[in-house]
Amino acid sequence: MTALAADVRVPARGVDASLEVAPGRTLVLLGPNGSGKSTALEAVAGIVPGAAVTLDGAAAPRAARDRRIGLLSQDDALFPAMSVRDNVAFGPRSRGVARAEARAEADAWLARVGLSGLGDRRPRELSGGQARRVAIARALAARPRVLLLDEPFAGLDVGAASTVRGLVAGLLSGVTAIVTTHDALDAHALADDVAVMEAGRIVEAGPAAEVLARPRTAFAARMAARVLLEGTMRGGALELSGGTRVPVTGGPGAGARAAIALRPAAVTVSLGDAPRSPALVWIADEVAGLEPRGDEVRVQGTVCAADVDPAVAGALAARAPVWFGVPRGEAAYALTG
Amino acid sequence: MTGPRWLAPLAALGGLLVALPLVGLIARVPWSRFVALVTSEDALTALGLSLRTSLAATVLTVTLGVPLGFALRALTGALRGVVRALVLAPLVLPPVVGGLALLYAFGRRGLLGETVGGSLAFTTAAVVIAQTFVAMPFMVVSVESALAATTGRREAIAATLGASPTRVLARVTLPTLAPALATGAVLAFARALGEFGATLTFAGSLAGVTRTAPLDIYLLRETDPEAAAALSLVLVAVAIGVVALAYRPVRSAS
């Protein structure tokens, strides 16, 4: 198992980030589309210039072919003129393994990704999920020291994505890997460590439990699918900038900056003079935006946010006054230091 | 996509312009003597020479034109435009001018001097050089436009899998270029087969050595017009056959 450290500077694409992965761990690089995640991976793999990479403390070779860092790209990039088996055997063959042996290795990898018997197919005869799995097998068959997966579940239909999710989760144990995603769910499922990327820079990094459960910036909280309420500790409560006091548990001493991170689904929305449950703390806010997310609608306020039923969201418009109901007793954590 | 109706009469006119001369040629062929004419020693020598030199020129075109296409793709900005215009010049140059230029470069009194020029002049090799000169642009254009349609993505991934640049070229790039290579080779072969002006100017018209079928036809036109027509028909048949069998317009790479 290999330790990876990389300083990535690709000014042309606005990327300036340092990444570190301990041996056998999975770093999830979490950021929105266009934040530079793919560029960072391409630079680490050596196919885009701009990364100073060390593997186990030694400088990695300059040429991609000598780096032994595997890259699974979003477009799969299977070789169309070769059979599926020869695609997977490409890495071993490039290393000088004899044809028969390389093909046997390829078949073993195809079996591991659940595609036994498809070796003779051409890439164009595969479904999207099958092609992604072949690309994963091809990357692993080259025996990389570090594996980079760029949005491994993007562009797949729901069923295929779920198959590939299960497969990747199993294959990553004991492999030093970086996985990019814009999906908090994947970060929760795969990450040992998380680095949050915003506009080409790492804004937060650390163990997954820390970064995902205790985000320090609104941006990181949004990427982790959390709502961040920031304030100052005042006698067992978090006082928000608007003056609202939210009773919390734990947290630093009085006067210190602190925050709680809530699931948007745990926040309730109330309108106008409708009766509001005294069990919750109510924050007066206004609607900054509405974004559909599957079965629910994210009501984004200027301070708080909530996921609500589309029937409720239908009554809301931008800039409309709204109450956000927040549960009492959430765990607070210090923001400074 | 059929376009507006008024295109049809113009298309018919265009078709006639191409078809009528062929019909005229066929009308002139003395069918009773056809087989004897095209299998005469003189005709077979010329046809054989044409076939051999055109194949050799096609091989040269692939060997040199493909790297040229890659080199052109590697250039950027205005330089690429200038170099492309230079490389493609033989396509639009009058063949006689091309022949003269070849003479001044590779001829007895050419740039490369007496030793090289003296050994090349009026040899079959000179024919192949003249044919390659006029046919290469087809391959260069074909390869360059096919390369422009690729992203280089698969090549980059192949490198991360440990493949050397040569292996990437052989196993990843060239297979994707195969249709473009085939198209370029077919067009180059057909162009080499029809080469006349540059060959006559540069290589001369020595029976069995540099007198290819087109040159032979030009000479026969004076002495035996019927034989010229018969031989011409053979060239027409070969050209149409080769193009129909192997020419596919280049589609953008998937």
Side-chain angles (χ1 to χ4, degrees):
Chain A
M1 285 189 275
T2 306
L4 170 91
D7 277 318
V8 183
R9 265 175 207 93
V10 187
R13 302 202 210 159
V15 176
D16 185 348
S18 289
L19 302 169
E20 266 185 59
V21 195
R25 285 176 77 89
T26 299
L27 169 71
V28 165
L29 190 54
L30 185 60
N33 292 330
S35 59
K37 306 187 300 289
S38 298
T39 301
L41 290 198
E42 286 166 2
V44 172
I47 64 177
V48 161
V53 177
T54 60
L55 297 169
D56 285 335
R62 179 174 283 275
R65 66 175 284 218
D66 300 321
R67 257 185 206 184
R68 294 189 54 205
I69 296 181
L71 173 63
L72 175 79
S73 62
Q74 286 180 53
D75 56 4
D76 298 324
L78 296 179
F79 308 134
M82 283 178 220
S83 70
V84 162
R85 178 179 298 108
D86 285 343
N87 263 276
V88 179
F90 189 85
R93 288 287 290 149
S94 299
R95 269 203 325 271
V97 175
R99 185 185 302 268
E101 198 182 322
R103 287 190 169 161
E105 261 183 60
D107 283 336
W109 277 109
L110 285 172
R112 279 193 68 180
V113 298
L115 294 178
S116 296
L118 294 193
D120 293 322
R121 296 242 183 124
R122 295 275 153 174
R124 66 167 178 280
E125 297 165 341
L126 301 176
S127 70
Q130 289 169 338
R132 188 67 45 89
R133 284 190 273 166
V134 171
I136 291 170
R138 183 180 62 177
L140 287 170
R143 308 234 177 119
R145 299 177 71 183
V146 175
L147 184 62
L148 311 174
L149 305 178
D150 192 9
E151 295 270 6
F153 319 120
L156 300 180
D157 63 61
V158 178
S162 135
T163 310
V164 176
R165 271 196 178 88
L167 181 72
V168 166
L171 290 172
L172 284 182
S173 68
V175 175
T176 306
I178 304 180
V179 182
T180 68
T181 182
H182 60 275
D183 190 335
L185 188 69
D186 291 330
H188 280 283
L190 299 174
D192 295 312
D193 301 292
V194 171
V196 181
M197 195 169 215
E198 179 180 18
R201 273 150 220 276
I202 304 294
V203 291
E204 238 171 284
E210 183 70 20
V211 176
L212 295 175
R214 304 176 151 211
R216 321 188 74 78
T217 61
F219 183 83
R222 194 155 67 243
M223 291 319 300
R226 291 286 184 273
V227 184
L228 189 73
L229 288 180
E230 294 174 71
T232 310
M233 292 303 292
R234 298 267 182 249
L238 185 69
E239 187 179 288
L240 307 183
S241 57
T244 311
R245 287 190 177 206
V246 184
V248 295
T249 54
R257 296 287 298 162
I260 54 174
L262 302 161
R263 288 183 306 111
V267 180
T268 310
V269 164
S270 178
L271 294 178
D273 297 329
R276 297 190 290 275
S277 161
L280 300 172
V281 180
W282 293 91
I283 302 166
D285 202 344
E286 69 176 33
V287 177
L290 297 166
E291 49 179 288
R293 304 186 150 227
D295 299 341
E296 304 203 296
V297 175
R298 169 76 48 88
V299 181
Q300 187 68 51
T302 58
V303 177
C304 198
D307 281 351
V308 301
D309 193 275
V312 176
L316 295 171
R319 309 193 65 94
V322 68
W323 292 94
F324 285 109
V326 173
R328 296 165 190 272
E330 293 285 320
Y333 52 93
L335 275 185
T336 45
Chain B
M1 183 67 190
T2 52
R5 215 174 285 177
W6 55 263
L7 286 183
L10 290 175
L13 213 58
L16 276 181
L17 188 67
V18 176
L20 265 187
L22 292 183
V23 173
L25 181 69
I26 292 167
R28 265 308 181 83
V29 174
W31 293 105
S32 54
R33 294 168 56 215
F34 180 76
V35 175
L37 282 174
V38 300
T39 55
S40 74
E41 200 189 325
D42 179 57
L44 283 183
T45 307
L47 281 173
L49 183 66
S50 263
L51 209 60
R52 285 201 313 280
T53 52
S54 300
L55 281 175
T58 307
V59 170
L60 258 184
T61 295
V62 174
T63 324
L64 304 178
V66 172
L68 253 179
F70 274 86
L72 205 51
R73 198 63 219 153
L75 296 177
T76 49
L79 189 61
R80 186 197 288 174
V82 172
V83 174
R84 186 193 287 121
L86 271 175
V87 172
L88 300 195
L91 207 57
V92 287
L93 225 52
V96 184
V97 176
L100 272 181
L102 285 167
L103 210 52
Y104 296 149
F106 307 116
R108 222 181 273 279
R109 289 188 228 293
L111 279 178
L112 295 188
E114 179 74 36
T115 327
V116 175
S119 62
L120 269 181
F122 308 115
T123 62
T124 307
V127 177
V128 175
I129 290 178
Q131 290 174 339
T132 308
F133 178 76
V134 296
M136 191 128 70
F138 289 103
M139 183 56 82
V140 178
V141 171
S142 201
V143 168
E144 198 215 350
S145 53
L147 281 177
T150 64
T151 57
R153 187 93 195 138
R154 295 190 179 102
E155 283 78 3
I157 295 295
T160 69
L161 295 169
S164 68
T166 303
R167 185 170 160 76
V168 174
L169 175 71
R171 301 285 281 128
V172 180
T173 312
L174 286 183
T176 17
L177 295 186
L181 290 181
T183 300
V186 166
L187 290 176
F189 177 78
R191 178 70 185 84
L193 197 65
E195 213 323 285
F196 173 75
T199 311
L200 185 61
T201 316
F202 177 50
S205 175
L206 224 63
V209 180
T210 69
R211 190 179 297 159
T212 54
L215 269 60
D216 199 33
I217 290 167
Y218 191 71
L219 289 179
L220 284 173
R221 191 184 57 102
E222 301 280 330
T223 57
D224 187 352
E226 290 192 330
L231 211 48
S232 298
L233 191 65
V234 174
L235 279 194
V236 168
V238 171
I240 291 181
V242 163
V243 173
L245 273 180
Y247 178 69
R248 299 276 182 278
V250 179
R251 286 187 194 92
S252 62
S254 60

